[in-house]
Amino acid sequence: MENLKKTRWIRLVALFGAIVTVVVIGIFMWNRLADNDPPRANVTLLLRQDLTETVPLRGAVQSQNSRNVAAVLNLPVREVLANVGDEVYEGQVLAVLDTTDLELNIAQQRAEISAFEQTSTLNLENARQLHTDAQSALNTGQNPQIMAAQSAVNNALLAVENAVRNRDNALEAQNAQDLLGDFVNLAQTVANAQMQVDVAHQNHQSAVMALDVAFIAAEAEIARLSQAVLQAEIAIENDSRMIALMRLERQLAESEIRAPIDGTITFVRADVGNIAAGVMFVIEDTQNLMITTSIREYDAASVAVGMLVEIRIDAVTDAIFNGFVSFIDPTATRSMQGDVEFGAEIAVTSYTPQLRIGMNTRLNVILQESRDTFAVSFDAVWRDDNDDWYVFVAEGEGSTRTARQMPVTIGISGDFMVEIISDELTSGMLIINNAANVVDGMQILIN
């Protein structure tokens, strides 16, 4: 029942609206017939002008070169030498950390290294001397082991000679006794002498082998002493104390917080006495600026890197700064509402102190430009069912004119104007603004 009442009410409202519309149209037509005046139309004086087709964007000013400066040492801050707004140069000291304990550690390490170097140098000199003496003894035949072995060889050789002599004497005696027919007693003597010769030969061979072993041992000792010299040299060069000292000295150099670039200090978080932690300074190059912005999906295909950009700020309404599209993110981002945008960067090419980091900007990316052309408002052009474009020219004299349809070609589009091209167009023509309400040959009253 309630729905039925609601439906009836809607029908009554619709009927009332239709009656009102008919009455209004009737009054309008009556006035037209009574006055018998042509309809009024606004016109524009056609003049040549420059037209630019742009894509509007918004963005914020940032520095092209911005660096965070942080301490790598967890030491107390002893001195802060820079404040927000200061202009600094690369390498300038911004803050100094307290290095009292670090300097004591360095002094201790240097003392230990000095003592170690003295001991190591003495050990190296001793190793070199031992190696030199051993090599000299080997070269001059003064090696004690080799001398003893050589003496043993010489004695063994003498023993061989004596044994051979004794054996030969025994043989001569035996031969002489054999002539007399009595050699029984001398036969044993000869046998014993021969045995002494064999023993002497064996002792000589053993002595020669011992001499060879002595030479090998002497050469091995020289090699060992050479390795000892090398190890002593390496110990001096690669001492862990020296490595530790280098680390401490590097930390001492890092206790001075220096500016990595030229620029302006825009942030400071450093207090004397507090431990240095995190970002202490932010330095931004205020003379090399860029603007971060985003391009809608609809405009992404039109905008390209290198296109010129007009930059405006609210603080200076009449000023236009120049820039160009320096970067377009190849990957889109999608908002919670499903809008797709591409991040972009605009490099500022006309520096001015009026353009400051953090300012909001209005941007116009210049897609196309047409110089000294004709342009009219969008409502002054009309397209028929055949996709042909027209404008209407108000021809004649006085306030009452005749609307003449003129075919045109559409060129580039600006924010509020569209380029029209035709050989019939001339400066000074009156173009009817609202083409949708005009037909060819219609009489109009121009405002």
Side-chain angles (χ1 to χ4, degrees):
M1 186 67 179
E2 183 179 352
N3 290 336
L4 182 59
K5 290 180 179 179
K6 186 175 182 180
T7 301
R8 289 176 179 175
W9 174 252
I10 292 173
R11 288 177 179 175
L12 289 173
V13 171
L15 179 59
F16 179 77
I19 294 172
V20 171
T21 301
V22 171
V23 171
V24 171
I25 293 175
I27 293 173
F28 175 77
M29 293 301 296
W30 173 262
N31 290 333
R32 287 286 306 275
L33 292 174
D35 294 341
N36 199 25
D37 288 334
R40 291 183 174 274
N42 292 324
V43 295
T44 298
L45 181 65
L46 189 63
L47 297 173
R48 290 191 175 275
Q49 58 184 292
D50 295 336
L51 186 64
T52 304
E53 183 177 0
T54 63
V55 171
L57 303 173
R58 285 190 169 273
V61 180
Q62 294 185 5
S63 173
Q64 290 193 42
N65 192 9
S66 177
R67 296 286 292 275
N68 295 337
V69 184
V72 297
L73 304 176
N74 292 326
L75 297 176
V77 177
R78 185 173 69 190
E79 193 174 6
V80 178
L81 303 175
N83 299 306
V84 172
D86 288 353
E87 296 287 337
V88 297
Y89 57 86
E90 182 179 352
Q92 180 176 336
V93 179
L94 307 178
V96 180
L97 305 183
D98 189 347
T99 58
T100 302
D101 292 339
L102 181 60
E103 291 173 2
L104 290 175
N105 290 336
I106 291 175
Q108 179 181 355
Q109 196 70 23
R110 285 175 176 168
E112 292 178 358
I113 289 174
S114 178
F116 172 79
E117 286 180 345
Q118 291 179 2
T119 302
S120 298
T121 300
L122 181 60
N123 292 339
L124 177 60
E125 291 176 354
N126 292 336
R128 285 174 175 169
Q129 187 63 47
L130 289 174
H131 178 268
T132 300
D133 293 345
Q135 187 68 57
S136 177
L138 178 62
N139 294 337
T140 60
Q142 300 300 314
N143 181 279
Q145 288 77 19
I146 293 177
M147 292 176 64
Q150 185 65 57
S151 177
V153 169
N154 294 336
N155 292 335
L157 184 59
L158 291 175
V160 169
E161 292 174 351
N162 291 331
V164 169
R165 188 180 303 110
N166 292 334
R167 184 198 63 185
D168 292 343
N169 292 334
L171 286 173
E172 290 177 359
Q174 184 183 25
N175 292 333
Q177 191 67 28
D178 187 29
L179 294 174
L180 297 174
D182 185 11
F183 55 90
V184 176
N185 294 329
L186 292 176
Q188 185 62 41
T189 301
V190 171
N192 291 337
Q194 182 62 48
M195 184 180 299
Q196 293 296 324
V197 170
D198 293 339
V199 170
H201 276 296
Q202 292 178 357
N203 291 338
H204 179 261
Q205 291 177 355
S206 298
V208 171
M209 293 177 61
L211 178 61
D212 292 339
V213 170
F215 270 104
I216 294 173
E219 291 175 347
E221 179 64 11
I222 290 173
R224 186 190 68 79
L225 292 174
S226 177
Q227 185 65 26
V229 171
L230 179 61
Q231 290 177 348
E233 292 174 344
I234 293 174
I236 293 176
E237 293 176 357
N238 297 337
D239 180 38
S240 60
R241 297 176 182 83
M242 183 61 69
I243 297 174
L245 177 61
M246 292 172 62
R247 288 176 177 170
L248 292 174
E249 289 176 339
R250 185 183 65 184
Q251 291 178 1
L252 184 62
E254 291 172 343
S255 66
E256 290 186 340
I257 312 302
R258 296 179 177 271
I261 59 172
D262 296 346
T264 303
I265 301 290
T266 58
F267 172 84
V268 175
R269 189 176 67 184
D271 297 316
V272 174
N274 290 345
I275 299 296
V279 176
M280 299 177 64
F281 301 91
V282 175
I283 302 176
E284 298 184 89
D285 186 350
T286 56
Q287 297 189 11
N288 292 294
L289 303 176
M290 70 176 182
I291 298 170
T292 56
T293 184
S294 57
I295 304 172
R296 296 171 299 179
E297 183 179 15
Y298 175 80
D299 296 320
S302 302
V303 180
V305 171
M307 286 184 171
L308 299 179
V309 180
E310 293 179 343
I311 305 167
R312 293 176 173 84
I313 56 176
D314 294 335
V316 186
T317 56
D318 297 333
I320 298 178
F321 309 106
N322 299 321
F324 66 92
V325 180
S326 59
F327 172 77
I328 299 177
D329 197 326
T331 304
T333 58
R334 187 179 297 273
S335 67
M336 297 296 294
Q337 294 75 25
D339 298 329
V340 174
E341 294 180 333
F342 292 83
E345 294 176 0
I346 311 299
V348 179
T349 56
S350 56
Y351 169 73
T352 172
Q354 296 173 319
L355 201 60
R356 298 183 179 181
I357 295 173
M359 279 186 169
N360 293 320
T361 62
R362 291 172 283 114
L363 312 170
N364 281 321
V365 181
I366 300 175
L367 304 182
Q368 300 181 75
E369 290 184 296
S370 186
R371 302 291 182 181
D372 194 29
T373 188
F374 292 120
V376 295
S377 61
F378 288 102
D379 61 355
V381 294
W382 175 257
R383 183 170 60 179
D384 61 15
D385 295 337
N386 297 323
D387 288 337
D388 295 325
W389 290 93
Y390 300 93
V391 295
F392 290 93
V393 180
E395 294 185 332
E397 300 292 337
S399 59
T400 301
R401 302 289 181 99
T402 300
R404 181 171 70 87
Q405 181 175 290
M406 179 183 293
V408 293
T409 300
I410 298 300
I412 69 172
S413 300
D415 293 337
F416 307 103
M417 308 287 283
V418 60
E419 182 183 16
I420 55 174
I421 303 170
S422 173
D423 292 338
E424 297 183 50
L425 294 173
T426 59
S427 295
M429 282 184 172
L430 295 179
I431 304 299
I432 300 173
N433 290 336
N434 194 352
N437 297 334
V438 183
V439 295
D440 189 30
M442 180 179 178
Q443 295 294 305
I444 60 168
L445 187 64
I446 62 172
N447 291 329

